[in-house]
Amino acid sequence: MLDTLAAAPLQSTGAAVAAAAFPALTWVALVTWVYLDAVARAADHPVGSTLAVAAFPPALVAYVHYRPERTAPQSDRERLALTVLLALLAAMMAGTVLSPPDVFAQPRNTFGALLALLPLFYLIVYREGPTDAESSS
């Protein structure tokens, strides 16, 4: 009995940390991808676009709609940021929808979904080989 009472705060603390870590990591991946994408597209104000999306994430819709044409090929850092961002978003959705309504099970299942989805999104994002500009340099 005392074992379960002593373990309960540790279990709830770990679940709270895990539950807070996924949105924070997703936000970092989103901001990183927006900055790398804006730089690759030679945007007038890449830091301004990044700060707008960082402060108000729904501004991503406006950024994607109004961003200029790409001037540089997609870099490995940009692909990695996009892979992690998509995997985190999909894992949070899968963990929320497919987990039982248990505070302790959802972060664990979300982490498991992330481990399963990272290779999938790696294959999706990296399915195109290097472009001519990347292979010639």
Side-chain angles (χ1 to χ4, degrees), residues 31-81:
V31 169
T32 303
W33 176 77
V34 168
Y35 177 75
L36 292 172
D37 185 66
V39 168
R41 293 175 182 273
D44 292 336
H45 305 287
V47 175
S49 300
T50 304
L51 289 175
V53 172
F56 187 65
L60 178 67
V61 174
Y63 169 74
V64 169
H65 183 69
Y66 292 112
R67 65 186 175 175
E69 292 295 320
R70 179 172 287 280
T71 58
Q74 198 173 27
S75 68
D76 284 338
R77 290 182 356 178
E78 189 179 354
R79 286 182 182 202
L80 178 64

Side-chain angles (χ1 to χ4, degrees), residues 9 13 15 22 24 33 39 48 51 55 58 62 82 89 91-92 107 109 116-117 122 124 126 128 133:
T13 303
F22 278 100
W33 176 77
V39 168
L51 289 175
L82 183 60
L89 288 171
M92 283 196 306
N109 293 345
L117 291 169
Y122 174 83
I124 291 172
Y126 284 85
E128 300 170 2

Side-chain angles (χ1 to χ4, degrees), residues 80-98:
L80 178 64
L82 183 60
T83 300
V84 171
L85 174 63
L86 293 174
L88 282 166
L89 288 171
M92 283 196 306
M93 286 190 288
T96 302
V97 172
L98 301 176

